[in-house]
Each structure stands twice: as C-alpha cells, then as structure tokens.
C-alpha cells in the first residue's frame, strides 16, 4: 500500500498535466480533449479545470473550450531571469531590428533547450517558427549553438550523446560535426545556423555576458536564407550583444570601446 501511495500522482502533478496539455498547436481545448491529452479521468479533469479557471490559470470561452488564462501570464512576468534581461535588452534589440527590419531574438538556456524570452519582428521579416516563450533544441538554432557552446562540459556531453532531432536535411544531427561546430562558435565568438530549422531561414547569433562574464543569454537575427550573406550580419549582431553585455556589467565587454549605434539601412 505504501508503495502504491508513493507512486500515486499528487494533486499538483495532476494540475501540471492539465496545463501541459496546452501547446502552440493546441491553444484551445475542450474538457474531453484536456482529459485525453493529460491522461486524467474526465471527472478529475472537470474538477481540476474548474479550480484552475476559478484561480485564473485557465479561461473558458463562449463555446465551452478552455485557454491559458492571464494569471499565468502575470506569473511569467515575475521570472527574474527573463524579465530583467528583457528590459535591459530591448534598446539593443530595437537598434538591431531598426538596422535590418528582420527578426531579432533573445534566448536563454533551459536544460537541453533554448527558451526565447523576446522577439522583435515586422511585416517585412521572414516568417519564423520561434516565438516568445517558445522552445527549440539547442543544436539546431543560432541562439542554441551559442548557449550550448558556452554550457558546462557535462551539459554539452549530455546533448552530444543524445539523439539529435533533424528538422531539415541541413540540421546538424551528427555528434562529431556538432562538437566541431561548438568549438568554432567558442573560437569565433558567434554562430551561424544555416537552414537548420527551416529551409527558408538562417540565423546569426552572439553570446551575452553578465557581470561575471558568464554567458547567460544569446542574441540573434533570423533572415531569409536565399538572399543573405550571413557574414555581413556578424558585426551588427556582435555589436548588439556586446552592448547588452556592457549594460549587464560584463568586465570583458566594458574593457572594449563603447559600441557605436548601428547604422540604419
């Protein structure tokens, strides 16, 4: 009996399973769909969804379906790693966007994934799959390659030893190639991810350092792959990342001359 009780799901774990049923592909779900995706009985789902809706974590639409509620958004805004970083980063992201009119992104590492904490885009920018709050594997994105290249050796080996998901025929899915790529990123100070997530895009990314010179984030620009020379974007991306690092107190960045404003194209 004790073993069964220890293995039984807690109320908290059931609530988390309900919230995890929602995704970018499933932003709105009926009770039966929540029950199916969470693996919970319909009666349990009905009770817990009611509690989550009363608290504001879920919102009920006129058709009876449910969406993630604003209370979750409010809590997400309290995340210190994302909120403070976004506030400091916005002027530098804005400068880079104004200079290029393409997608500009800021991401942090969470385990084996990159979480995008901010993105600036416009009508002229190429469509991308990433979004604020979204996740992608470290090995297949510019931001992710930078973060993985500067992660601790244990984390790098964990990623290198695991299956590497392939999104396109250009995705780095070989551990030896990825190891060489990470070494290049550390040596060069930037990463280029060429058509690894989508064949229509490439990204250029650079590391962001904090006041201990640890790499805590990465900044990138995503552009059309068929008409862009990625090396032409490297100076602007590195300048924006260096400016943000200076603002965060990085001794290494502060030792360099102040970053000049990016020229508007």
């Amino acid at each position: 009996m004790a073993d069964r009780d220890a293995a039984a799901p807690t109320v908290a774990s059931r609530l988390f399973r309900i919230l995890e049923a929602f995704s970018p592909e499933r932003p709105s779900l009926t009770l039966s769909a929540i029950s199916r995706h969470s693996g919970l009985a319909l009666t349990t789902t009905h009770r817990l969804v009611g509690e989550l809706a009363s608290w504001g974590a879920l919102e009920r639409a006129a058709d009876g379906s449910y969406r993630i509620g604003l209370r979750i958004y409010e809590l997400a805004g309290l995340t210190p790693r994302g909120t403070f970083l976004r506030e400091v980063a916005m002027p530098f992201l804005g400068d880079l966007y104004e200079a290029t009119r393409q997608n500009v992104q800021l991401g942090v590492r969470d385990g084996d994934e990159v979480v995008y904490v901010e993105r600036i885009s416009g009508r002229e920018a190429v469509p991308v799959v990433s979004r604020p709050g979204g996740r992608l594997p470290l090995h297949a994105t510019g931001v992710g390659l930078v973060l993985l290249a500067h992660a601790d050796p244990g984390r790098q080996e964990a990623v290198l030893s695991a299956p590497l998901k392939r999104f396109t025929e250009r995705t780095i899915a070989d551990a030896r190639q990825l190891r060489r790529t990470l070494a290049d990123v550390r040596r060069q100070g930037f990463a280029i991810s060429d058509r690894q997530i989508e064949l229509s895009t490439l990204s250029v990314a650079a590391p962001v350092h904090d006041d201990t010179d640890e790499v805590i984030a990465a900044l990138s620009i995503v552009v059309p792959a068929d008409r862009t020379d990625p090396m032409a974007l490297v100076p602007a991306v590195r300048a924006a990342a260096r400016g943000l690092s200076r603002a965060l107190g990085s001794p290494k960045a502060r030792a360099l001359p102040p970053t000049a404003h990016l020229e508007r194209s």
Side-chain angles (χ1 to χ4, degrees):
M1 179 67 71
D3 290 341
R4 286 201 299 270
D5 290 344
T10 63
V11 173
S13 70
R14 292 188 180 103
L15 292 171
F16 293 147
R17 284 161 65 178
I18 286 174
L19 294 175
E20 288 175 344
F22 295 86
S23 70
E25 296 76 29
R26 300 190 301 267
S28 179
L29 294 171
T30 62
L31 270 175
S32 59
I34 296 173
S35 173
R36 183 171 65 256
H37 288 292
S38 66
L40 298 174
L42 187 58
T43 53
T44 301
T45 301
H46 184 272
R47 175 172 56 84
L48 294 179
V49 164
E51 293 184 17
L52 288 169
S54 296
W55 185 73
L58 295 178
E59 294 178 352
R60 191 172 188 270
D63 63 0
S65 63
Y66 289 86
R67 291 176 175 268
I68 295 296
L70 286 176
R71 192 70 178 270
I72 297 294
Y73 179 81
E74 293 173 9
L75 289 177
L78 299 176
T79 307
R81 187 158 58 131
T83 304
F84 172 74
L85 186 61
R86 285 174 55 229
E87 291 175 353
V88 179
M90 283 307 294
F92 303 98
L93 298 177
D95 273 358
L96 187 56
Y97 169 74
E98 290 296 332
T100 61
R101 295 292 174 173
Q102 290 295 337
N103 303 282
V104 178
Q105 306 181 130
L106 182 69
V108 298
R109 184 177 65 81
D110 185 25
D112 296 342
E113 297 176 309
V114 54
V115 177
Y116 293 91
V117 296
E118 187 57 85
R119 189 186 84 191
I120 301 178
S121 188
R123 289 179 297 178
E124 301 173 15
V126 62
V128 293
V129 298
S130 58
R131 60 179 181 82
R135 295 170 176 263
L136 285 171
L138 292 172
H139 71 280
T141 68
V143 166
L145 288 172
V146 168
L147 294 171
L148 183 57
H150 293 280
D152 63 87
R155 175 61 59 186
Q156 292 182 22
E157 291 305 317
V159 173
L160 287 163
S161 62
L164 299 173
K165 181 177 180 180
R166 186 181 293 277
F167 293 86
T168 74
E169 62 264 30
R170 298 186 64 97
T171 304
I172 300 175
D174 176 75
R176 287 177 297 180
Q177 182 185 359
L178 179 57
R179 195 183 296 277
R180 291 193 297 269
T181 299
L182 297 179
D184 290 341
V185 171
R186 288 189 293 270
R187 176 175 54 83
Q188 297 171 345
F190 64 90
I192 295 174
S193 178
D194 187 1
R195 291 167 280 184
Q196 288 205 76
I197 294 292
E198 296 178 291
L199 290 175
S200 59
T201 64
L202 64 82
S203 66
V204 179
V208 175
H209 301 259
D210 67 3
D211 57 358
T212 67
D213 273 336
E214 179 184 355
V215 174
I216 60 166
L219 181 154
S220 75
I221 183 169
V222 184
V223 297
D226 60 352
R227 59 177 187 271
T228 305
D229 174 10
M231 292 303 298
L233 297 170
V234 169
V237 173
R238 295 190 70 183
R242 186 167 63 246
L244 175 52
S245 298
R246 284 174 59 85
L248 292 172
S250 164
K252 185 183 300 183
R254 284 185 170 183
L256 297 171
T259 303
H261 286 293
L262 299 173
E263 294 183 0
R264 269 52 170 180
S265 58

